[in-house]
C-alpha cells in the first residue's frame, strides 16, 4: 500500500490531469443533454450528483473485487467503448 501511495504522489501528474479532463468532458456532455431536455437547474444538479455517486460506487466495488490483474484489460475495454460511441455519434451526425 505504501508503494501505491508513493507512486500516486510521484510522477503521475499527467495521468491525473487526463482523468480530470475526461471527467469534465463527461459532465459537459451530460449538461448538454440535460439542457436539451429543458430540465430545471436543481433537477440537473440532482441527476448529475446521483449519477456520479452511483457510478463511482459501482466502480469502487468492482475495482476492489477485480483487483490489479484486470486493470489493463478494463482500461482498454473502456477506450474501445468510448471510440465506438464516438464513431456511432459521428456516423449518426453525418447521416
Amino acid at each position: 500500500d505504501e508503494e501505491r501511495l508513493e507512486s500516486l504522489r510521484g510522477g503521475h501528474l499527467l495521468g491525473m490531469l487526463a482523468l480530470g479532463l475526461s471527467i469534465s468532458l463527461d459532465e459537459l456532455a451530460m449538461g448538454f443533454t440535460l439542457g436539451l431536455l429543458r430540465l430545471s437547474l436543481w433537477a440537473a444538479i440532482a441527476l448529475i450528483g446521483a449519477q456520479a455517486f452511483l457510478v463511482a460506487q459501482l466502480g469502487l466495488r468492482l475495482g476492489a473485487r477485480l483487483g490489479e490483474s484486470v486493470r489493463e484489460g478494463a482500461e482498454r475495454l473502456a477506450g474501445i467503448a468510448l471510440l465506438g460511441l464516438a464513431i456511432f455519434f459521428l456516423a449518426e451526425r453525418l447521416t
Side-chain angles (χ1 to χ4, degrees):
D1 287 339
E2 281 296 319
E3 290 176 18
R4 286 185 192 170
L5 186 59
E6 286 301 318
S7 71
L8 288 175
R9 287 183 192 154
H12 293 337
L13 179 62
L14 185 60
M16 287 192 282
L17 289 174
L19 179 63
L21 179 63
S22 68
I23 291 170
S24 297
L25 290 175
D26 177 53
E27 297 304 324
L28 179 66
M30 215 160 112
F32 280 138
T33 304
L34 294 173
L36 290 172
L37 294 174
R38 305 231 185 253
L39 291 177
S40 71
L41 177 63
W42 297 111
I45 290 171
L47 287 172
I48 290 171
Q51 178 266 340
F53 176 78
L54 291 173
V55 173
Q57 291 302 312
L58 177 66
L60 287 170
R61 303 251 189 299
L62 283 174
R65 287 184 185 217
L66 297 177
E68 292 290 322
S69 62
V70 186
R71 184 178 60 90
E72 292 277 333
E75 288 175 354
R76 288 189 182 124
L77 181 63
I80 291 169
L82 287 173
L83 284 172
L85 280 172
I87 291 168
F88 172 77
F89 287 132
L90 179 64
E92 187 179 69
R93 181 78 171 166
L94 292 176
T95 59

XYZ file of all heavy atoms in Angstrom:
706
model
N 0.818 -1.199 0.000
C 0.000 0.000 0.000
C 0.858 1.259 0.000
O 0.501 2.249 -0.615
C -0.933 -0.002 1.208
C -2.065 -0.999 1.051
O -2.365 -1.374 -0.103
O -2.635 -1.410 2.069
N 1.975 1.205 0.703
C 2.871 2.367 0.735
C 3.452 2.648 -0.652
O 3.590 3.792 -1.048
C 4.003 2.157 1.745
C 3.589 2.386 3.169
C 3.182 3.825 3.432
O 3.842 4.751 2.931
O 2.167 4.016 4.128
N 3.771 1.574 -1.400
C 4.314 1.758 -2.741
C 3.293 2.405 -3.653
O 3.623 3.283 -4.457
C 4.752 0.415 -3.313
C 5.958 -0.169 -2.643
C 6.294 -1.542 -3.187
O 5.819 -1.897 -4.283
O 7.048 -2.261 -2.518
N 2.047 2.000 -3.555
C 0.975 2.597 -4.366
C 0.808 4.069 -4.028
O 0.641 4.903 -4.912
C -0.347 1.879 -4.138
C -0.438 0.550 -4.781
C -1.824 -0.003 -4.598
N -1.872 -1.389 -4.967
C -2.891 -2.177 -4.738
N -3.950 -1.719 -4.117
N -2.872 -3.434 -5.116
N 0.834 4.380 -2.738
C 0.681 5.762 -2.299
C 1.820 6.617 -2.821
O 1.603 7.723 -3.316
C 0.604 5.823 -0.773
C 0.303 7.171 -0.155
C -1.040 7.695 -0.660
C 0.296 7.059 1.346
N 3.036 6.107 -2.757
C 4.188 6.847 -3.262
C 4.114 7.037 -4.774
O 4.474 8.088 -5.285
C 5.498 6.152 -2.880
C 5.855 6.310 -1.436
C 6.007 7.759 -1.008
O 6.607 8.552 -1.768
O 5.511 8.104 0.068
N 3.632 6.019 -5.494
C 3.528 6.161 -6.946
C 2.479 7.188 -7.325
O 2.620 7.894 -8.316
C 3.233 4.816 -7.602
O 1.913 4.404 -7.325
N 1.415 7.302 -6.540
C 0.412 8.330 -6.809
C 0.948 9.725 -6.505
O 0.630 10.681 -7.208
C -0.854 8.074 -5.986
C -1.706 6.907 -6.432
C -2.856 6.693 -5.447
C -2.242 7.130 -7.831
N 1.766 9.838 -5.484
C 2.357 11.121 -5.144
C 3.423 11.518 -6.151
O 3.683 12.696 -6.356
C 3.003 11.060 -3.765
C 2.029 11.034 -2.651
C 2.767 11.049 -1.333
N 1.865 10.737 -0.245
C 2.220 10.208 0.890
N 3.476 9.912 1.118
N 1.340 9.963 1.823
N 4.029 10.533 -6.770
C 5.168 10.767 -7.653
C 4.783 11.363 -8.988
O 4.095 12.364 -9.071
N 5.227 10.742 -10.056
C 5.163 11.333 -11.375
C 3.909 11.055 -12.176
O 3.984 11.014 -13.384
N 2.787 10.872 -11.556
C 1.572 10.583 -12.304
C 0.703 11.819 -12.489
O -0.508 11.732 -12.586
C 0.755 9.493 -11.628
C 1.417 8.151 -11.638
N 2.371 7.792 -12.546
C 1.247 7.068 -10.866
C 2.756 6.557 -12.329
N 2.105 6.100 -11.298
N 1.318 12.984 -12.530
C 0.574 14.225 -12.676
C -0.172 14.251 -14.003
O -1.339 14.642 -14.052
C 1.517 15.426 -12.564
C 0.862 16.792 -12.731
C -0.163 17.010 -11.623
C 1.902 17.880 -12.716
N 0.475 13.807 -15.065
C -0.163 13.795 -16.376
C -1.392 12.889 -16.380
O -2.431 13.250 -16.930
C 0.833 13.346 -17.446
C 0.329 13.397 -18.886
C -0.058 14.817 -19.261
C 1.384 12.871 -19.824
N -1.295 11.733 -15.737
C -2.437 10.830 -15.650
C -3.591 11.442 -14.878
O -4.751 11.302 -15.254
N -3.273 12.139 -13.801
C -4.329 12.777 -13.017
C -4.981 13.913 -13.795
O -6.189 14.118 -13.712
C -3.772 13.268 -11.688
C -3.489 12.126 -10.722
S -3.151 12.663 -9.045
C -1.473 13.220 -9.195
N -4.190 14.662 -14.549
C -4.761 15.726 -15.375
C -5.668 15.151 -16.462
O -6.737 15.693 -16.734
C -3.646 16.568 -15.998
C -2.881 17.471 -15.047
C -1.718 18.136 -15.772
C -3.790 18.507 -14.430
N -5.253 14.051 -17.070
C -6.078 13.405 -18.091
C -7.374 12.888 -17.487
O -8.451 13.017 -18.093
C -5.307 12.271 -18.761
N -7.306 12.322 -16.303
C -8.508 11.847 -15.624
C -9.456 13.001 -15.329
O -10.662 12.907 -15.564
C -8.129 11.122 -14.330
C -9.283 10.589 -13.493
C -10.062 9.532 -14.281
C -8.767 10.014 -12.194
N -8.923 14.099 -14.823
C -9.756 15.275 -14.553
C -10.406 15.814 -15.814
O -11.581 16.196 -15.806
N -9.667 15.835 -16.908
C -10.217 16.311 -18.173
C -11.321 15.397 -18.677
O -12.369 15.862 -19.131
C -9.103 16.428 -19.221
C -9.539 16.905 -20.599
C -10.091 18.312 -20.525
C -8.368 16.841 -21.565
N -11.121 14.088 -18.572
C -12.149 13.163 -19.052
C -13.415 13.264 -18.215
O -14.527 13.200 -18.752
C -11.625 11.727 -19.059
O -11.422 11.275 -17.738
N -13.272 13.451 -16.914
C -14.452 13.615 -16.065
C -15.165 14.916 -16.412
O -16.395 14.961 -16.494
C -14.049 13.569 -14.575
C -13.602 12.153 -14.213
C -15.200 14.019 -13.681
C -12.971 12.038 -12.850
N -14.416 15.968 -16.660
C -15.026 17.248 -17.016
C -15.780 17.153 -18.332
O -16.874 17.703 -18.471
C -13.951 18.332 -17.104
O -13.338 18.513 -15.857
N -15.204 16.461 -19.304
C -15.885 16.305 -20.591
C -17.157 15.483 -20.448
O -18.167 15.769 -21.094
C -14.948 15.662 -21.615
C -13.794 16.549 -22.076
C -12.860 15.759 -22.986
C -14.311 17.784 -22.777
N -17.126 14.486 -19.574
C -18.315 13.681 -19.311
C -19.425 14.547 -18.725
O -20.577 14.477 -19.145
C -17.965 12.537 -18.369
C -19.178 11.710 -17.993
O -19.884 11.251 -18.919
O -19.419 11.516 -16.789
N -19.079 15.375 -17.773
C -20.072 16.242 -17.144
C -20.581 17.297 -18.129
O -21.755 17.668 -18.101
C -19.493 16.904 -15.892
C -19.117 15.921 -14.813
C -20.264 15.025 -14.377
O -21.417 15.474 -14.318
O -19.999 13.854 -14.095
N -19.717 17.768 -19.018
C -20.140 18.723 -20.036
C -21.165 18.091 -20.973
O -22.204 18.690 -21.280
C -18.933 19.220 -20.825
C -19.225 20.215 -21.947
C -19.759 21.519 -21.370
C -17.964 20.468 -22.755
N -20.902 16.875 -21.411
C -21.850 16.174 -22.286
C -23.169 15.935 -21.568
O -24.247 16.089 -22.158
C -21.248 14.848 -22.750
N -23.096 15.583 -20.300
C -24.318 15.376 -19.531
C -25.088 16.690 -19.390
O -26.315 16.714 -19.482
C -23.965 14.824 -18.151
C -24.964 13.850 -17.627
S -24.203 12.866 -16.370
C -25.095 13.448 -14.984
N -24.382 17.781 -19.185
C -25.027 19.086 -19.082
C -25.731 19.481 -20.366
O -26.846 20.014 -20.337
N -25.100 19.214 -21.506
C -25.754 19.497 -22.788
C -27.046 18.702 -22.926
O -28.077 19.223 -23.333
C -24.834 19.154 -23.969
C -23.799 20.196 -24.257
C -22.515 19.812 -24.560
C -24.104 21.541 -24.235
C -21.541 20.753 -24.836
C -23.142 22.498 -24.507
C -21.861 22.104 -24.806
N -26.980 17.435 -22.593
C -28.163 16.572 -22.714
C -29.283 17.049 -21.807
O -30.441 17.150 -22.235
C -27.799 15.118 -22.368
O -26.730 14.702 -23.219
C -28.980 14.199 -22.543
N -28.957 17.349 -20.566
C -29.985 17.816 -19.638
C -30.529 19.176 -20.060
O -31.708 19.476 -19.872
C -29.438 17.855 -18.215
C -29.096 16.491 -17.616
C -28.406 16.655 -16.283
C -30.339 15.638 -17.477
N -29.678 20.012 -20.638
C -30.135 21.302 -21.145
C -31.095 21.138 -22.311
O -32.090 21.873 -22.428
N -30.802 20.186 -23.183
C -31.706 19.938 -24.315
C -33.056 19.415 -23.847
O -34.072 19.634 -24.499
C -31.072 18.951 -25.288
C -29.870 19.487 -26.075
C -29.210 18.358 -26.852
C -30.293 20.598 -27.008
N -33.065 18.733 -22.705
C -34.325 18.235 -22.142
C -35.082 19.322 -21.387
O -36.198 19.091 -20.937
C -34.053 17.054 -21.201
C -33.516 15.791 -21.851
C -33.148 14.765 -20.792
C -34.537 15.219 -22.815
N -34.454 20.484 -21.260
C -35.052 21.641 -20.584
C -35.413 21.357 -19.129
O -36.467 21.760 -18.647
C -36.260 22.151 -21.348
C -35.983 22.480 -22.789
C -36.482 23.861 -23.108
N -36.329 24.126 -24.535
C -35.405 24.941 -25.005
N -34.581 25.526 -24.205
N -35.321 25.162 -26.289
N -34.532 20.642 -18.445
C -34.743 20.389 -17.028
C -34.312 21.615 -16.226
O -33.462 22.387 -16.652
C -33.925 19.182 -16.570
C -34.363 17.831 -17.105
C -33.409 16.760 -16.622
C -35.768 17.501 -16.648
N -34.895 21.779 -15.058
C -34.502 22.885 -14.196
C -33.082 22.652 -13.688
O -32.572 21.527 -13.696
C -35.456 23.015 -13.016
O -35.262 21.945 -12.108
N -32.464 23.723 -13.225
C -31.108 23.626 -12.719
C -31.018 22.656 -11.554
O -30.102 21.840 -11.474
C -30.613 25.012 -12.286
C -29.229 25.065 -11.660
C -28.181 24.618 -12.670
C -28.937 26.448 -11.139
N -31.983 22.693 -10.652
C -31.955 21.831 -9.470
C -32.147 20.362 -9.835
O -31.507 19.489 -9.258
C -32.982 22.287 -8.445
C -32.655 23.659 -7.953
C -33.340 24.806 -8.192
C -31.516 24.032 -7.180
N -32.711 25.883 -7.615
C -31.585 25.430 -6.986
C -30.444 23.346 -6.639
C -30.631 26.131 -6.260
C -29.489 24.058 -5.918
C -29.591 25.421 -5.732
N -32.993 20.095 -10.804
C -33.172 18.709 -11.255
C -31.885 18.205 -11.916
O -31.474 17.063 -11.709
C -34.347 18.603 -12.213
N -31.248 19.069 -12.699
C -29.998 18.686 -13.360
C -28.903 18.409 -12.326
O -28.167 17.428 -12.438
C -29.553 19.792 -14.322
N -28.802 19.265 -11.311
C -27.803 19.060 -10.263
C -28.057 17.743 -9.535
O -27.124 16.971 -9.266
C -27.795 20.250 -9.279
C -27.213 21.482 -9.971
C -27.013 19.922 -8.017
C -27.358 22.760 -9.183
N -29.316 17.471 -9.215
C -29.648 16.223 -8.517
C -29.321 15.010 -9.380
O -28.755 14.024 -8.890
C -31.130 16.227 -8.131
N -29.628 15.063 -10.675
C -29.351 13.938 -11.565
C -27.851 13.723 -11.755
O -27.377 12.586 -11.744
C -30.036 14.145 -12.917
C -31.547 13.962 -12.920
C -32.131 14.390 -14.262
C -31.918 12.524 -12.617
N -27.109 14.798 -11.925
C -25.660 14.673 -12.096
C -25.027 14.111 -10.831
O -24.172 13.220 -10.879
C -25.041 16.031 -12.486
C -25.450 16.395 -13.905
C -23.514 15.992 -12.362
C -25.070 17.808 -14.309
N -25.453 14.617 -9.688
C -24.913 14.119 -8.422
C -25.231 12.655 -8.200
O -24.373 11.872 -7.779
N -26.481 12.266 -8.487
C -26.882 10.868 -8.304
C -26.108 9.953 -9.251
O -25.627 8.889 -8.843
C -28.384 10.721 -8.532
N -25.961 10.378 -10.500
C -25.229 9.569 -11.476
C -23.774 9.418 -11.068
O -23.220 8.315 -11.087
C -25.332 10.209 -12.868
C -24.566 9.491 -13.951
C -23.166 10.035 -14.178
O -22.841 11.143 -13.817
N -22.340 9.207 -14.776
N -23.138 10.503 -10.662
C -21.731 10.444 -10.268
C -21.546 9.545 -9.048
O -20.611 8.742 -9.003
C -21.209 11.849 -9.987
N -22.442 9.661 -8.085
C -22.332 8.851 -6.872
C -22.514 7.373 -7.185
O -21.718 6.538 -6.759
C -23.374 9.307 -5.847
C -23.383 8.461 -4.611
C -22.406 8.636 -3.649
C -24.352 7.496 -4.410
C -22.393 7.847 -2.504
C -24.360 6.708 -3.278
C -23.370 6.886 -2.318
N -23.546 7.041 -7.944
C -23.833 5.633 -8.237
C -22.728 4.981 -9.063
O -22.292 3.864 -8.766
C -25.177 5.500 -8.938
C -26.396 5.815 -8.074
C -27.667 5.811 -8.926
C -26.518 4.835 -6.934
N -22.261 5.676 -10.078
C -21.228 5.096 -10.937
C -19.899 4.988 -10.184
O -19.175 3.998 -10.334
C -21.085 5.898 -12.245
C -19.912 5.427 -13.065
C -22.373 5.791 -13.054
N -19.588 5.973 -9.337
C -18.361 5.889 -8.545
C -18.423 4.717 -7.571
O -17.440 3.989 -7.401
C -18.134 7.195 -7.787
N -19.560 4.513 -6.934
C -19.702 3.384 -6.014
C -19.574 2.056 -6.745
O -18.916 1.134 -6.267
C -21.052 3.455 -5.280
C -21.141 4.588 -4.298
C -20.060 4.511 -3.241
O -19.828 3.476 -2.646
N -19.377 5.619 -3.031
N -20.196 1.959 -7.913
C -20.087 0.746 -8.716
C -18.632 0.478 -9.097
O -18.137 -0.643 -8.980
C -20.958 0.862 -9.969
C -20.901 -0.306 -10.941
C -21.477 -1.560 -10.293
C -21.650 0.035 -12.207
N -17.928 1.523 -9.538
C -16.523 1.372 -9.907
C -15.650 0.964 -8.738
O -14.772 0.117 -8.874
N -15.889 1.559 -7.578
C -15.108 1.196 -6.395
C -15.335 -0.256 -5.999
O -14.399 -0.978 -5.658
C -15.470 2.113 -5.228
C -14.939 3.539 -5.321
C -15.564 4.407 -4.242
C -13.428 3.545 -5.217
N -16.560 -0.688 -6.030
C -16.878 -2.069 -5.642
C -16.296 -3.075 -6.644
O -15.706 -4.073 -6.258
C -18.387 -2.263 -5.533
C -19.060 -1.321 -4.560
C -19.528 -2.001 -3.311
N -20.342 -1.246 -2.407
C -20.028 -0.136 -1.776
N -18.911 0.449 -2.035
N -20.824 0.421 -0.899
N -16.473 -2.782 -7.938
C -15.926 -3.678 -8.955
C -14.403 -3.687 -8.919
O -13.772 -4.740 -9.049
C -16.411 -3.268 -10.340
C -17.832 -3.634 -10.702
C -18.206 -3.037 -12.046
C -18.024 -5.138 -10.713
N -13.809 -2.522 -8.747
C -12.353 -2.433 -8.696
C -11.770 -3.200 -7.534
O -10.728 -3.846 -7.658
N -12.435 -3.151 -6.387
C -11.941 -3.877 -5.216
C -12.019 -5.387 -5.436
O -11.151 -6.128 -4.989
C -12.748 -3.487 -3.988
N -13.039 -5.834 -6.137
C -13.182 -7.279 -6.374
C -12.245 -7.781 -7.464
O -11.712 -8.876 -7.376
C -14.619 -7.613 -6.753
C -15.545 -7.525 -5.587
C -16.925 -7.953 -5.979
N -17.815 -7.736 -4.865
C -18.795 -8.542 -4.558
N -19.029 -9.602 -5.288
N -19.555 -8.286 -3.530
N -12.089 -7.006 -8.507
C -11.300 -7.466 -9.641
C -9.807 -7.318 -9.410
O -9.022 -8.149 -9.850
C -11.712 -6.720 -10.902
C -13.158 -6.939 -11.354
C -13.451 -6.088 -12.571
C -13.420 -8.403 -11.648
N -9.400 -6.248 -8.771
C -8.001 -6.057 -8.444
C -7.158 -5.618 -9.627
O -7.649 -5.255 -10.691
N -5.855 -5.678 -9.421
C -4.887 -5.192 -10.394
C -4.818 -6.034 -11.657
O -4.477 -5.541 -12.717
C -3.498 -5.126 -9.751
C -3.365 -4.089 -8.675
C -3.407 -2.682 -9.230
O -2.847 -2.456 -10.314
O -4.005 -1.825 -8.581
N -5.139 -7.307 -11.552
C -4.947 -8.201 -12.692
C -5.833 -7.842 -13.882
O -5.481 -8.120 -15.016
C -5.207 -9.645 -12.267
O -6.548 -9.796 -11.841
N -6.944 -7.214 -13.628
C -7.895 -6.916 -14.696
C -7.825 -5.454 -15.123
O -8.433 -5.062 -16.103
C -9.326 -7.272 -14.219
C -10.333 -7.131 -15.322
C -9.377 -8.675 -13.670
N -7.027 -4.666 -14.434
C -6.996 -3.223 -14.672
C -6.650 -2.865 -16.106
O -7.335 -2.059 -16.740
C -5.999 -2.563 -13.724
C -5.969 -1.062 -13.835
C -5.005 -0.468 -12.832
N -3.648 -0.927 -13.003
C -2.753 -0.326 -13.778
N -3.085 0.742 -14.446
N -1.529 -0.802 -13.875
N -5.611 -3.453 -16.649
C -5.174 -3.134 -18.014
C -6.265 -3.455 -19.035
O -6.564 -2.660 -19.915
C -3.900 -3.905 -18.359
C -2.697 -3.473 -17.583
C -2.035 -2.257 -18.188
O -2.161 -2.056 -19.405
O -1.402 -1.525 -17.412
N -6.863 -4.622 -18.918
C -7.925 -5.004 -19.842
C -9.139 -4.104 -19.724
O -9.760 -3.760 -20.734
N -9.463 -3.702 -18.510
C -10.606 -2.812 -18.297
C -10.356 -1.441 -18.920
O -11.261 -0.846 -19.510
C -10.902 -2.673 -16.814
N -9.128 -0.949 -18.814
C -8.792 0.332 -19.430
C -8.921 0.252 -20.946
O -9.451 1.164 -21.585
C -7.384 0.750 -19.039
C -7.267 1.186 -17.590
C -5.836 1.492 -17.196
O -4.909 1.270 -18.006
O -5.646 1.951 -16.060
N -8.440 -0.833 -21.513
C -8.554 -0.994 -22.973
C -10.001 -1.115 -23.409
O -10.422 -0.535 -24.413
C -7.761 -2.218 -23.415
C -6.285 -2.002 -23.352
C -5.529 -3.140 -23.997
N -4.100 -2.887 -23.867
C -3.246 -3.706 -23.321
N -3.667 -4.864 -22.856
N -1.975 -3.401 -23.242
N -10.781 -1.890 -22.656
C -12.201 -2.046 -22.977
C -12.937 -0.712 -22.906
O -13.756 -0.400 -23.778
C -12.841 -3.069 -22.040
C -14.313 -3.370 -22.269
C -14.520 -3.987 -23.657
C -14.821 -4.312 -21.198
N -12.633 0.095 -21.896
C -13.265 1.412 -21.775
C -12.877 2.296 -22.957
O -13.717 3.016 -23.509
C -12.871 2.067 -20.461
N -11.624 2.244 -23.357
C -11.175 3.025 -24.514
C -11.872 2.599 -25.793
O -12.300 3.435 -26.591
N -12.010 1.303 -25.988
C -12.697 0.789 -27.176
C -14.167 1.204 -27.154
O -14.728 1.605 -28.178
C -12.542 -0.742 -27.265
C -11.092 -1.103 -27.583
C -13.492 -1.334 -28.303
C -10.771 -2.570 -27.425
N -14.792 1.140 -25.978
C -16.200 1.543 -25.865
C -16.365 3.021 -26.190
O -17.300 3.409 -26.904
C -16.725 1.238 -24.465
N -15.463 3.868 -25.707
C -15.548 5.295 -26.000
C -15.325 5.579 -27.479
O -16.014 6.424 -28.068
C -14.543 6.069 -25.152
C -14.888 6.193 -23.671
C -13.730 6.834 -22.914
C -16.151 6.999 -23.472
N -14.370 4.879 -28.086
C -14.157 5.044 -29.529
C -15.383 4.593 -30.319
O -15.781 5.238 -31.292
C -12.930 4.261 -29.976
C -11.589 4.878 -29.624
C -10.459 3.906 -29.955
C -11.395 6.180 -30.345
N -15.988 3.490 -29.888
C -17.199 3.013 -30.548
C -18.329 4.022 -30.458
O -19.038 4.268 -31.446
N -18.507 4.615 -29.292
C -19.544 5.639 -29.134
C -19.258 6.856 -30.015
O -20.170 7.413 -30.623
C -19.640 6.073 -27.676
C -20.427 5.165 -26.758
C -20.272 5.627 -25.313
C -21.888 5.155 -27.151
N -17.985 7.256 -30.064
C -17.625 8.404 -30.892
C -17.917 8.130 -32.366
O -18.472 8.975 -33.071
C -16.153 8.753 -30.689
N -17.582 6.946 -32.831
C -17.850 6.579 -34.231
C -19.345 6.528 -34.491
O -19.832 7.015 -35.511
C -17.163 5.239 -34.571
C -15.644 5.428 -34.577
C -17.650 4.687 -35.901
C -14.861 4.136 -34.622
N -20.103 5.973 -33.550
C -21.551 5.903 -33.702
C -22.157 7.299 -33.804
O -22.964 7.578 -34.690
C -22.161 5.145 -32.530
C -23.659 5.195 -32.496
C -24.408 4.408 -33.349
C -24.314 6.038 -31.613
C -25.790 4.456 -33.329
C -25.696 6.101 -31.588
C -26.434 5.299 -32.441
N -21.758 8.201 -32.893
C -22.321 9.554 -32.914
C -21.879 10.325 -34.147
O -22.664 11.100 -34.709
C -21.934 10.312 -31.650
C -22.670 9.850 -30.426
C -21.987 9.589 -29.260
C -24.044 9.662 -30.444
C -22.663 9.160 -28.127
C -24.720 9.221 -29.328
C -24.041 8.972 -28.161
N -20.652 10.114 -34.592
C -20.189 10.768 -35.804
C -20.979 10.271 -37.019
O -21.433 11.075 -37.844
C -18.697 10.517 -36.003
C -18.077 11.131 -37.255
C -18.150 12.649 -37.178
C -16.628 10.676 -37.404
N -21.184 8.951 -37.112
C -21.952 8.400 -38.222
C -23.393 8.896 -38.182
O -23.979 9.222 -39.226
C -21.909 6.872 -38.179
N -23.955 8.983 -36.994
C -25.325 9.475 -36.863
C -25.419 10.934 -37.272
O -26.379 11.354 -37.915
C -25.790 9.305 -35.417
C -27.239 9.637 -35.208
C -27.653 9.419 -33.770
O -27.199 10.190 -32.889
O -28.404 8.458 -33.514
N -24.414 11.700 -36.909
C -24.402 13.137 -37.233
C -24.245 13.345 -38.738
O -24.814 14.273 -39.307
C -23.255 13.786 -36.475
C -23.125 15.236 -36.679
C -24.125 15.953 -35.864
N -23.830 17.372 -35.927
C -24.655 18.272 -35.539
N -25.812 17.928 -35.041
N -24.352 19.526 -35.630
N -23.455 12.497 -39.401
C -23.189 12.664 -40.827
C -24.338 12.179 -41.707
O -24.417 12.554 -42.874
C -21.897 11.939 -41.205
C -20.613 12.531 -40.619
C -19.424 11.680 -40.975
C -20.410 13.971 -41.072
N -25.207 11.337 -41.159
C -26.315 10.831 -41.985
C -27.585 11.588 -41.737
O -27.776 12.342 -40.894
C -26.565 9.351 -41.700
O -26.880 9.159 -40.328
C -25.394 8.523 -42.111
